[in-house]
Amino acid sequence: MRDPADGASGDRLAALADALDRRFPAVSLAMRNLSRQRLRAGLAALGIVIGVFAVVSLGMLGTALQGAATEELGGLGNQVIISPAPETDSDVLNGRDLAVIDRAAAGRGEVVRLKSTGATVSGSGGQSFAQVYGTTNPAALFGDAPGVPDYHRQGALVGADVAGALDLRVGSQVAIEGNTYRVVAVLPEQSSITPLRADSAVVLPPGEFATDGFSQVVVQANTGGDAEAIASEVRDGLNARERRVSVFSLTSVLDRITEFFALLNGFLLAVAGVSLVVAGVSIFNVMLMTVSERRGEIGVLRAVGIHRDQVLRTLLVEATLLGVGGGALGVALGTVGVVLVALNTELPLAAVLVPANALVGLGAFAFGATVALVGGLYPAYRAAWEPPVESLRG
């Protein structure tokens, strides 16, 4: 026995379908026409799926790679390293140099004065050659790890590679050029690129060095723009008449890297776009064949009073439905594919889930729907404007 609730539900669905037919007759007729040729319509939509999938996957991967590289190199672009120029006889920066640097960095970043040299470092596990830095503010350069003091007065901070090679840990003794120091902290392993190689370094208080002056100054700028402004101001203030200092900043290099990734992303999208154009040609072919096979049907519709605008609208809706369905499926598959790549590689998932990639998906969907619409435009126009007598005769 039929459940009254099921009957009421079926009646409501039928009423809804009738309302949609009356409200959007072209959409309803287009869906019925496509359902009668499922295989051909499915193959045409498959072309859009493949094209949109290619655009989404390549576009999102390009954006994710660009974001990951920028994140990895971002700290490097915020650093400005100033040291005495090779043309000068001095190995240290003088008071005037330091004053100009402090003035240029005021409000734009933190100034860290460094002494540096190379030395043989010995521990319980052997000995190794390491870069030795002297600074009172190691946390600004090497990270705020456990045990790293805000103001470095005594003891040694050792890099991760040095600690591993010499079997050092907090509390161990390390000998540098005949002097023995207690290890107060092991610096965290570097995860980003920087000219200061903390992993293979030892950091001491500046007073442990025989020289009085500082061999270089590192400015940890707030932003890449601040780093560029600091570098420019230091060059203008100290190198106007003669080259007194070397100013090393990778902000311009990072800009070139960003431009390269943008160019690469554009190239990948262009390659993927070709597949969408091919899919558009496929839809053009399908619609042209459909119109040829339905000439008699279209002629009857025109003969009984159906206006050519209604015929045109129905055929364009068919093409658009192919593009919308294929585009939506292609965006979904492309997004899932890129997420799976991120989960199974070292590509950060956070670099994939960014607003720019949402725009890539929306753009690919819109492009796929547009290509399908354009592909069906000429066949629809040709069918709608053909005289009914010629259609019936064909």
Side-chain angles (χ1 to χ4, degrees):
M1 184 175 179
R2 185 180 177 187
D3 191 344
D6 292 340
S9 176
D11 293 341
R12 283 195 296 269
L13 290 176
L16 180 61
D18 291 339
L20 289 176
D21 286 346
R22 291 193 300 270
R23 182 69 175 175
F24 306 105
V27 175
S28 177
L29 181 59
M31 293 182 67
R32 284 198 294 268
N33 291 337
L34 290 175
S35 66
R36 289 185 304 184
Q37 43 183 351
R38 290 188 180 91
L39 179 60
R40 186 179 296 172
L43 291 175
L46 180 62
I48 293 293
V49 171
I50 295 173
V52 172
F53 172 81
V55 171
V56 169
S57 57
L58 293 179
M60 285 188 174
L61 279 177
T63 302
L65 289 174
Q66 181 178 352
T70 303
E71 180 69 21
E72 182 74 15
L73 300 174
L76 180 61
N78 293 352
Q79 282 186 348
V80 181
I81 302 177
I82 303 105
S83 57
E87 295 87 343
T88 64
D89 296 331
S90 177
D91 293 330
V92 296
L93 298 167
N94 60 31
R96 175 173 175 257
D97 300 335
L98 297 175
V100 171
I101 295 170
D102 289 341
R103 196 162 49 245
R108 295 171 175 162
E110 188 170 4
V111 177
V112 181
R113 299 177 181 183
L114 281 178
K115 296 181 179 182
S116 63
T117 187
T120 301
V121 181
S122 302
S124 59
Q127 64 179 18
S128 176
F129 186 83
Q131 186 72 24
V132 182
Y133 295 110
T135 180
T136 58
N137 187 13
L141 295 180
F142 306 116
D144 189 15
V148 176
D150 294 332
Y151 190 89
H152 192 28
R153 295 184 179 88
Q154 61 183 358
L157 313 177
V158 296
D161 291 347
V162 175
L166 304 183
D167 192 23
L168 299 174
R169 57 186 56 85
V170 175
S172 300
Q173 299 293 318
V174 60
I176 304 174
E177 299 295 330
N179 297 316
T180 303
Y181 304 93
R182 178 178 175 272
V183 177
V184 297
V186 176
L187 298 174
E189 188 172 353
Q190 280 184 311
S191 59
S192 60
I193 301 174
T194 173
L196 302 176
R197 297 178 298 171
D199 291 342
S200 57
V202 176
V203 184
L204 299 175
E208 298 296 326
F209 286 70
T211 57
D212 293 330
F214 293 92
S215 57
Q216 59 184 180
V217 170
V218 178
V219 181
Q220 194 71 37
N222 299 329
T223 64
D226 287 335
E228 193 170 351
I230 292 169
S232 177
E233 192 168 327
V234 170
R235 290 191 188 99
D236 294 341
L238 296 178
N239 292 344
R241 295 183 180 179
E242 59 177 344
R243 190 167 181 264
R244 296 171 49 84
V245 297
S246 295
V247 182
F248 181 73
S249 173
L250 288 185
T251 305
S252 58
V253 177
L254 288 178
D255 292 339
R256 298 294 180 273
I257 292 174
T258 302
E259 291 175 4
F260 166 76
F261 274 107
L263 182 63
L264 176 64
N265 206 16
F267 173 75
L268 293 176
L269 287 175
V271 171
V274 172
S275 61
L276 262 183
V277 173
V278 173
V281 174
S282 173
I283 288 182
F284 173 85
N285 183 52
V286 167
M287 295 299 297
L288 199 60
M289 292 177 63
T290 299
V291 167
S292 298
E293 293 176 356
R294 293 164 56 191
R295 287 184 67 192
E297 175 188 342
I298 294 173
V300 171
L301 292 174
R302 296 278 287 111
V304 298
I306 300 298
H307 196 269
R308 61 167 59 98
D309 289 344
Q310 292 175 277
V311 175
L312 176 65
R313 190 180 302 115
T314 301
L315 295 175
L316 288 180
V317 169
E318 289 182 23
T320 304
L321 287 175
L322 292 176
V324 169
L329 184 57
V331 170
L333 292 177
T335 303
V336 171
V338 174
V339 170
L340 289 177
V341 169
L343 292 176
N344 292 278
T345 63
E346 295 184 0
L347 182 66
L349 184 60
V352 175
L353 305 177
V354 294
N357 275 340
L359 295 178
V360 170
L362 290 175
F365 174 78
F367 187 37
T370 302
V371 166
L373 179 61
V374 172
L377 189 60
Y378 171 72
Y381 180 86
R382 177 182 173 183
W385 260 257
E386 187 175 27
V389 175
E390 294 296 328
S391 298
L392 292 171
R393 187 181 300 164

